[in-house]
């Protein structure tokens, strides 16, 4: 073919499909060498590629020898929407390099006795991004022996050669607590969440309270809506109940809100509530939760960059990247009620 | 090895890992022929398999020649939790046959200009389950030419050889509408949703209203929380506003709830609201939405069975399976306000 354009915009898979009169999916099947393509269509696609001077994306091509151009992404619990923007940022990062995410949900897999990490390892993934705190530390550690691994929105398991991209949990919890203190609250409780992230937020809460000369109350219950509901119900039924609760995340904050509802307490008149993650739940006007924005879009973008760097340079030392957090004040917090 | 147990419980991958002194992940890597396993560890795993008489799951083994033991699952929008129980049921069904789901989110992929179906086709998936209504009809049609495809919670694209597993949208919308009529509502509006499912719910709403001698009001706005908020804001600001709104789904119902909040209307005193999908959002006490339970767990279980049947018998004719729907009455519906 001598009439191939020597310059101009780089041809895409879409151009190839169009020139060959087939779908993009079919071009993909040809690129991956699928047997499910007829000879005549395969020939049409290959001729169109040659004619247009099409080249598969460079990174994808570099990976194509033994690799798939795919990154496995483990979500810790698909029922909690905290990860939505993180996944958007991660997908955008990967896509820019011609790499695709495939997902697995640790919560669902665990319910049927499976490990998400193992499910993804059975695929031809080139790397693994673990989103949020899971019970799969052992499987992650094993995966890290043979694949680049990045943790996003979680700090464990801390492993050599595994990057961590998170928000600044210490600053976020401090902002949440200081906001409540500035509103005059003195009896503030924290619903603690799991893992290292849960520990950092709790420690920061405790430090901020003690720095103000106050005794922090910490209870378990930040893991889920139900656990938060139970914990907050107990807290709020006790004498000298807290006038404010800082929950580990938005889902737990909603559990606390439900507990307040059941006890006839109005938010924020009788009780102030702060969540974490600034999910779309916090933004629902009827809930309107003050919440710490954990910069999840940026966390996802950075996690994508880190895993791509690890694909080309597997020997990089482990890195910790913290995205700034920022409190979003909404209707669930107000001045301490007069005694 | 002559001391292999002749009977007893079937050895699992866990037993192999334990006998070989390695992780389950490493056994998986050996099973898939990974090059990332040292010779000594591979030998230990293979010897343990022989010793224990381990056999990979039968269906997975049957598929292992050219297949992956993996089903691609496209979720239409990971931000809307309507699919959570469907995914649980689907995962349980697949797992029972030794097959794993890998997920992709059409919403996220679309934001970066990708097709989820194409992303999954680039994996070694054996079949495809499309969960919810997407914009990827063309890609799904192409996929169905080379792979078993099942639609779950959506009715399109209707294709030869593609099964559809859904709830009974006609009955669900009728129950929702009749509930509002029984509470005395006469001015009822519907926020219409996308696709064939949206059309069926709308038609059933209109029929039920007309059968009661009432004029149905239908507006677009059932696609998202924001679109529902805008549509409901307009409806509720108009003269002779509706006293009840039946929304296409729970997310849209929450948008309508926010619109009512902004206009100072109380739910259910001034306005009754019904959602659809009976998500965890509907169950949040502070929201407490009356909603149609679409039997999503059963939809997922059946979709899993259907795709497994198609793996072994690809030539099956297209089937339509409808799971019963059932209205769950909660706090968002009440008697029509007195004029």
């Amino acid at each position: 073919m001598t009439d191939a354009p020597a310059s101009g915009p780089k041809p895409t898979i879409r151009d190839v499909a169009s020139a060959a009169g087939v779908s993009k999916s079919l071009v993909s099947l040809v690129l991956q060498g699928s047997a499910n393509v007829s000879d005549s269509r395969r020939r049409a696609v290959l001729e169109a590629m040659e004619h247009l001077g099409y080249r598969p994306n460079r990174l994808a091509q570099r990976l194509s020898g033994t690799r798939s151009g795919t990154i496995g992404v483990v979500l810790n619990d698909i029922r909690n929407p905290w990860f939505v923007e993180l996944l958007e940022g991660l997908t955008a990062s990967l896509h820019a390099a011609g790499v695709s995410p495939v997902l697995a949900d640790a919560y669902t897999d665990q319910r049927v006795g499976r490990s998400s990490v193992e499910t993804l390892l059975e695929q031809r993934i080139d790397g693994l991004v673990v989103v949020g705190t899971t019970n799969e530390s052992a499987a992650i550690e094993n995966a890290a022996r043979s694949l680049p691994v990045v943790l996003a929105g979680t700090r464990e398991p801390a492993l050599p050669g595994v990057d961590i991209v998170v928000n600044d949990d210490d600053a976020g919890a401090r902002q949440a607590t200081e906001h409540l203190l500035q509103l005059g609250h003195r009896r503030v409780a924290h619903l603690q969440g799991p893992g290292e992230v849960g520990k950092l937020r709790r420690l920061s809460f405790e430090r901020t309270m003690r720095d103000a000369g106050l005794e922090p109350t910490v209870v378990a219950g930040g893991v889920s809506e139900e656990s938060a509901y139970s914990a907050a119900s107990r807290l709020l039924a006790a004498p000298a109940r807290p006038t404010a609760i800082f929950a580990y995340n938005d889902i737990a904050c909603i559990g606390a809100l439900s507990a307040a509802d059941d006890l006839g307490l109005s938010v924020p008149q009788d009780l102030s509530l702060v969540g974490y993650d600034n999910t779309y739940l916090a933004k629902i006007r009827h809930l309107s939760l003050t919440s710490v924005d954990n910069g999840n879009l940026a966390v996802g973008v950075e996690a994508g960059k880190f895993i791509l760097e690890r694909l080309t340079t597997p020997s990089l030392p482990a890195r910790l990247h913290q995205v700034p957090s920022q409190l979003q004040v909404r209707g669930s917090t107000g001045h301490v009620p007069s005694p």
Side-chain angles (χ1 to χ4, degrees), chain A residues 137-196:
Chain A
S137 287
I140 294 166
E141 190 172 348
N142 281 312
R145 292 201 187 107
S146 57
L147 280 179
V149 175
V150 170
L151 309 180
T154 181
R155 295 168 183 264
E156 60 199 310
L159 293 166
V162 171
D163 302 316
I164 293 177
V165 186
V166 282
N167 92 127
D168 186 340
D169 293 293
D170 180 76
R174 189 174 61 246
Q175 290 166 48
T177 312
E178 283 175 349
H179 170 63
L180 292 169
L181 296 178
Q182 279 157 16
L183 289 167
H185 295 277
R186 293 295 172 264
R187 292 199 306 277
V188 183
H190 175 57
L191 303 180
Q192 187 183 351
E196 280 302 307

Side-chain angles (χ1 to χ4, degrees), chain A residues 16-93:
Chain A
V16 172
S18 169
V22 302
S23 68
K24 278 170 64 189
S25 304
L26 195 109
V27 176
S28 293
L29 286 172
V30 170
L31 281 170
Q32 69 183 105
S34 166
N36 290 314
V37 181
S38 70
D39 284 346
S40 63
R41 295 175 123 208
R42 186 188 311 278
R43 204 175 310 120
V45 169
L46 295 175
E47 281 177 6
M49 283 181 184
E50 199 188 344
H51 178 68
L52 294 169
Y54 172 82
R55 293 192 166 280
N57 173 285
R58 223 185 302 173
L59 180 55
Q61 189 181 30
R62 195 187 313 151
L63 302 174
S64 67
T66 55
R67 291 179 177 179
S68 65
T70 311
I71 297 293
V73 178
V74 173
L75 304 173
N76 67 339
D77 183 355
I78 211 162
R79 299 167 308 161
N80 177 345
W82 76 275
F83 64 83
V84 167
E85 293 196 346
L86 197 165
L87 184 62
E88 276 190 34
L90 176 61
T91 302
S93 246

Side-chain angles (χ1 to χ4, degrees), chain A residues 197-216:
Chain A
V197 168
K199 188 174 157 193
L200 277 175
R201 293 183 192 171
R202 169 179 63 80
L203 289 173
S204 177
F205 164 75
E206 290 175 343
R207 197 180 313 115
T208 309
M209 288 290 285
R210 294 212 170 98
D211 285 352
L214 299 168
E215 189 54 35

